[in-house]
């Protein structure tokens, strides 16, 4: 599942002592970056996807919320 891929990324970050990251990917990698950002937004500073779209309406709405949250954080910094 997309959530299990996101958890794999989080495990990789934990194992390599990476506390925060900007994630990106191409195609399916972009979807995994989006899923990770949505499920672990406290560990992700941003994400980008190249040649990809959200997997379904659920992730589209999470993506829009995440982008709004990241924008608000930048404006308050």
């Amino acid at each position: 599942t997309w959530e299990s891929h996101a958890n794999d990324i989080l495990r990789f970050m934990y194992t390599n002592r990476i506390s925060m990251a900007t994630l990106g990917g191409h195609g399916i990698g972009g979807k995994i970056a989006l899923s990770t950002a949505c499920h672990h937004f406290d560990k992700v500073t941003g994400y980008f996807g190249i040649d990809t779209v959200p997997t379904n309406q659920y992730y589209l709405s999470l993506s829009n919320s995440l982008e709004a949250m990241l924008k608000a954080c930048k404006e308050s910094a």
Side-chain angles (χ1 to χ4, degrees):
T1 66
W2 297 114
E3 190 171 358
S4 69
H5 288 302
N7 291 335
D8 290 342
I9 298 297
L10 196 66
R11 268 192 298 283
F12 174 85
M13 290 173 63
Y14 179 79
T15 300
N16 292 283
R17 297 186 175 137
I18 301 168
S19 59
M20 298 288 287
T22 299
L23 303 174
H26 179 267
I28 195 170
K31 292 179 181 184
I32 294 170
L34 171 60
S35 176
T36 305
C38 290
H39 288 288
H40 304 289
F41 61 88
D42 57 324
K43 300 290 184 187
V44 176
T45 56
Y47 80 94
F48 64 90
I50 300 170
D51 195 25
T52 189
V53 295
T55 58
N56 58 35
Q57 190 62 34
Y58 173 74
Y59 283 106
L60 178 60
S61 66
L62 286 177
S63 173
N64 291 338
S65 297
L66 178 65
E67 288 176 13
M69 189 176 3
L70 290 172
K71 182 180 176 185
C73 289
K74 283 183 183 180
E75 289 173 355
S76 67

